[in-house]
Amino acid sequence: MTAAATASQSLDALWMPFTANKAYKAHPRILVSAKDMHYRSDDGREILDGTAGLWCVNAGHCRQSIVDAMMQAATTLDYAPGFQMGHPLMFALAGRLAAVLPDGMDSVFFSGSGSESVDSALKIALAYHQARGEPQRVRFIGRQRGYHGVGFGGISVGGIENNRKTFAAQLLPHVDHLPHTFDLAHQAFSKGQPQWGGHLADALEELVTRHGAETIAAVIVEPMAGSTGVLLPPVGYLERLRELCTKYGILLIFDEVITGFGRVGAPFAAQVFGVTPDILTVAKGLTNAAVPMGATCVKTSIYDTVVQSSPRGIEFFHGYTYSGHPLAAAAGLAALDVYQNEGLLTRAATLGPVWEEALHSLRDAPHVIDIRNIGLVGGIELAVRDGVAGARGYDVFTNAFHAQDALIRVTGDIIALSPPLIISEEQIHELVGKVRRAIEATA
């Protein structure tokens, strides 16, 4: 699509998600194609992708083997119902996924997105406790600044206030939240996991005392909080959560929609941090974002408990029209092939030191008050400008796109970087240089 074609095309009909619609439509940013590490804009510029699309294109754009697998599926079996029916690709993908999940997580429930995979996780947790004879366990514990998608379950356990306030009157009733793990005074410019903050997990003990362990079904956290601006777990924090959940019979859910499939240096963050949850949600990188798909992965003991609790018939009244869709399953299988054949599931660990050094070189850039990193993820926090939260971050974002030919993501005044895992060392330095120039241009 050319710039002229874009200009002649009305933007009015589309209500864009998580977008300042009026501002965007006054000055649109249009992407028309992509390949490997770059997008192409409608005015012909190559845009270096510093965000893997939206934390999701882990193997780079338009990988031919994934495209071919989807085309083959589309011409062979365009759709098959997942209710009381099945097709080979959905079973094959579940098996392949189980093989790279943390030990003991061998059961997979497919959905169409990360939001759906989270709502499935919450429902599975309730079904599990009911099957065990503890139906009073209905409370969920999320975390402040957590993001778990946009379903009513996800925003209930989520802790980003702008996502919640419009819908506050209709959120799930039995929910509480742990404090978030970030403290600028104690953690600024940490490299990897902060040393300070592991004790914050003890807040779960306080919630158990307040509500009673016998009422709590599950705790849900992101191992690394991404959408809120890259908040890493302090040393010992996740281990303590695991210990307390085990102690009180509470299920621990990891939302790995962002961290899954190599983003932090192993197939899943659970393996990087050495903490295995009971339930783990994925999406995004599952298909390299070539087609929407999510999955809720559970310990086999949870699956067995729910399925064996019913003598006959449907054991779990939940699912989606597109659960295990043939095209998505084909894309997932092909994506796993690319990840494994090219060593992408662990490449972030190899490139991590180069990435860390490059990111922290921005410490002297104007208005930078913190930098945090792990694997191939980075957060650069900027000082608020004149009391207007988000203004500086937005200007850096638009300058990066229009003047530096780079796609970055900002949440408020935090720049979040998560490039495709195929990024080279040279491109790491190129990306960081573009970010520096964008920060300096908007200082």
Side-chain angles (χ1 to χ4, degrees), residues 15-25 29:
W15 190 344
M16 300 175 69
F18 280 111
T19 297
N21 277 256
K22 296 187 296 293
Y24 175 86
K25 291 175 182 180
R29 294 169 293 277

Side-chain angles (χ1 to χ4, degrees), residues 313-381:
I314 296 171
E315 303 96 357
F316 183 47
F317 283 84
H318 174 65
Y320 306 95
T321 299
Y322 299 117
S323 291
H325 191 284
L327 269 68
L333 287 165
L336 281 173
D337 282 342
V338 173
Y339 295 153
Q340 292 176 316
N341 293 342
E342 298 183 10
L344 298 182
L345 295 177
T346 55
R347 192 164 190 266
T350 303
L351 282 180
V354 176
W355 175 252
E356 178 177 274
E357 181 180 2
L359 278 183
H360 283 268
S361 73
L362 295 171
R363 183 168 181 163
D364 65 345
H367 307 295
V368 170
I369 61 173
D370 189 28
I371 296 170
R372 32 197 190 261
N373 67 280
I374 191 170
L376 279 175
V377 184
I380 304 158
E381 187 150 356

Side-chain angles (χ1 to χ4, degrees), residues 15-21 54 147 149-150 155 160 162-163 409:
W15 190 344
M16 300 175 69
F18 280 111
T19 297
N21 277 256
L54 197 58
Y147 180 74
V150 295
I155 58 175
I160 298 179
N162 280 343
N163 293 355
R409 178 164 170 73

Side-chain angles (χ1 to χ4, degrees), residues 152-212:
F152 271 93
I155 58 175
S156 296
V157 296
I160 298 179
E161 288 306 315
N162 280 343
N163 293 355
R164 294 165 50 87
K165 61 185 180 182
T166 301
F167 318 108
Q170 293 292 346
L171 298 183
L172 299 184
H174 304 298
V175 175
D176 210 334
H177 292 81
L178 296 163
H180 64 76
T181 62
F182 180 65
D183 188 300
L184 185 63
H186 291 94
Q187 299 172 344
F189 298 101
S190 295
K191 296 181 177 180
Q193 289 183 265
Q195 294 297 314
W196 184 93
H199 66 283
L200 295 172
D202 289 335
L204 181 56
E205 288 267 30
E206 300 171 17
L207 296 179
V208 166
T209 300
R210 181 186 309 167
H211 300 297

Side-chain angles (χ1 to χ4, degrees), residues 1-9 32 41-44:
M1 182 183 294
T2 65
T6 302
S8 67
Q9 176 180 297
V32 297
S41 63
D42 62 344
D43 56 358

Side-chain angles (χ1 to χ4, degrees), residues 71-88:
M71 290 178 63
Q72 177 63 33
T75 58
T76 304
L77 182 67
D78 59 343
Y79 175 77
F83 300 178
Q84 306 283 21
M85 300 295 295
H87 61 85

Side-chain angles (χ1 to χ4, degrees), residues 236-251:
Y237 176 86
L238 294 176
E239 293 89 336
R240 181 60 172 157
L241 278 188
R242 174 70 278 178
E243 177 187 346
L244 291 173
C245 286
T246 300
K247 175 181 176 180
Y248 293 113
I250 300 167
L251 294 179

